[in-house]
Amino acid sequence: RATVAKVEELTLRIKSELDTSDLFAPPPPKQECPICFLPMIGTLQDAMNMACCGKVICYGCFQEKRRVIHTANFEREEEEERTGIEEIMMKETCSFCRAPVSTSREEMMLRIEKRMKVNDPLAYYQAGGCYQDGRHVPQADVLKALELNHRAAELGLPEAFA
């Protein structure tokens, strides 16, 4: 009898949420890359979430920045070999906050947790992916991943529903 009451209560709650929402509202605008200003097509799989500051850039801009840094470092190494003068190598940094790219899984998780403290839905989603796959965490935990994805969905991230 208690189960029937819970189902009825849940049904009424869902019905009231559907009655108050605008099902035919236009979809939200596509997110643009803040560097190249092109619309990001697809899901977060085609973009890079910078864990240090929470910015999202398209994968093309991320790869281009890495290519420029690696090319510059290669040229500096060649110049150093030719002249014998030690050159300072460029390090990968965030395009926005200039924080160095994290080099360890502990540092990555600390940055994600810092973003989670300010209720960044992408940080919750990224942490959920880490727990689901066992990346940057000691071991995979599917229940923790599900909990984090639910929180990201509550904060309004549509990809967390997938």
Side-chain angles (χ1 to χ4, degrees):
R1 183 70 188 145
T3 305
V4 172
K6 285 183 181 180
V7 170
E8 289 175 357
E9 178 185 332
L10 183 62
T11 304
L12 289 174
R13 192 182 81 192
I14 291 171
K15 185 176 180 182
S16 68
E17 287 176 6
L18 286 175
D19 288 343
T20 59
S21 66
D22 187 4
L23 297 176
F24 298 103
K30 293 233 183 240
Q31 188 176 6
E32 289 181 341
C33 173
I35 295 174
C36 66
F37 299 108
L38 292 174
M40 286 197 248
I41 301 168
T43 63
L44 290 175
Q45 308 304 335
D46 303 323
M48 287 297 299
N49 177 25
M50 307 309 288
C52 46
C53 60
K55 298 288 186 184
V56 178
I57 63 174
C58 72
Y59 200 68
C61 288
F62 177 77
Q63 287 293 20
E64 178 62 15
K65 180 176 178 163
R66 291 187 78 193
R67 187 194 64 76
V68 167
I69 289 172
H70 290 289
T71 302
N73 283 341
F74 181 75
E75 290 171 357
R76 288 178 182 196
E77 285 176 0
E78 285 183 339
E79 184 69 20
E80 184 179 321
E81 286 177 9
R82 193 173 56 77
T83 62
I85 300 171
E86 190 172 326
E87 294 280 334
I88 298 173
M89 296 296 154
M90 292 178 68
K91 296 182 179 172
E92 288 189 51
T93 59
C94 174
S95 300
F96 297 96
C97 67
R98 301 289 185 227
V101 174
S102 59
T103 56
S104 68
R105 68 182 194 184
E106 293 83 14
E107 185 180 359
M108 176 64 82
M109 283 309 293
L110 284 173
R111 289 181 179 188
I112 292 172
E113 288 168 3
K114 181 180 174 186
R115 298 296 312 154
M116 288 168 57
K117 287 180 183 173
V118 294
N119 283 333
D120 181 0
L122 282 171
Y124 279 98
Y125 182 69
Q126 192 172 20
C130 290
Y131 276 99
Q132 182 175 349
D133 302 338
R135 291 178 285 126
H136 309 302
V137 294
Q139 73 181 58
D141 184 351
V142 177
L143 293 178
K144 177 85 172 169
L146 187 61
E147 177 185 317
L148 291 167
N149 282 336
H150 277 287
R151 180 68 181 135
E154 288 173 357
L155 292 172
L157 185 68
E159 285 86 357
F161 288 107

mmCIF file of all heavy atoms in Angstrom, residues 100 106 110 149:
data_model
loop_
_atom_site.group_PDB
_atom_site.id
_atom_site.type_symbol
_atom_site.label_atom_id
_atom_site.label_comp_id
_atom_site.label_asym_id
_atom_site.label_seq_id
_atom_site.Cartn_x
_atom_site.Cartn_y
_atom_site.Cartn_z
ATOM 1 N N PRO A 100 49.146 26.273 -15.137
ATOM 2 C CA PRO A 100 49.791 25.181 -15.862
ATOM 3 C C PRO A 100 48.867 23.969 -15.949
ATOM 4 O O PRO A 100 48.054 23.723 -15.058
ATOM 5 C CB PRO A 100 51.023 24.850 -15.018
ATOM 6 C CG PRO A 100 51.076 25.831 -13.921
ATOM 7 C CD PRO A 100 49.820 26.623 -13.912
ATOM 8 N N GLU A 106 46.097 13.408 -9.018
ATOM 9 C CA GLU A 106 45.692 14.056 -7.772
ATOM 10 C C GLU A 106 45.421 15.544 -8.006
ATOM 11 O O GLU A 106 44.433 16.090 -7.520
ATOM 12 C CB GLU A 106 46.765 13.883 -6.680
ATOM 13 C CG GLU A 106 46.950 12.466 -6.200
ATOM 14 C CD GLU A 106 47.868 11.627 -7.085
ATOM 15 O OE1 GLU A 106 48.586 12.208 -7.949
ATOM 16 O OE2 GLU A 106 47.856 10.400 -6.935
ATOM 17 N N LEU A 110 41.869 17.539 -7.603
ATOM 18 C CA LEU A 110 41.777 18.715 -6.731
ATOM 19 C C LEU A 110 41.148 19.891 -7.477
ATOM 20 O O LEU A 110 40.317 20.616 -6.922
ATOM 21 C CB LEU A 110 43.152 19.102 -6.192
ATOM 22 C CG LEU A 110 43.703 18.223 -5.084
ATOM 23 C CD1 LEU A 110 45.148 18.624 -4.761
ATOM 24 C CD2 LEU A 110 42.845 18.340 -3.830
ATOM 25 N N ASN A 149 26.637 12.519 -11.699
ATOM 26 C CA ASN A 149 25.925 12.871 -12.930
ATOM 27 C C ASN A 149 24.526 13.398 -12.632
ATOM 28 O O ASN A 149 24.047 14.306 -13.312
ATOM 29 C CB ASN A 149 25.872 11.684 -13.879
ATOM 30 C CG ASN A 149 27.173 11.482 -14.619
ATOM 31 O OD1 ASN A 149 27.950 12.411 -14.784
ATOM 32 N ND2 ASN A 149 27.431 10.268 -15.053
#
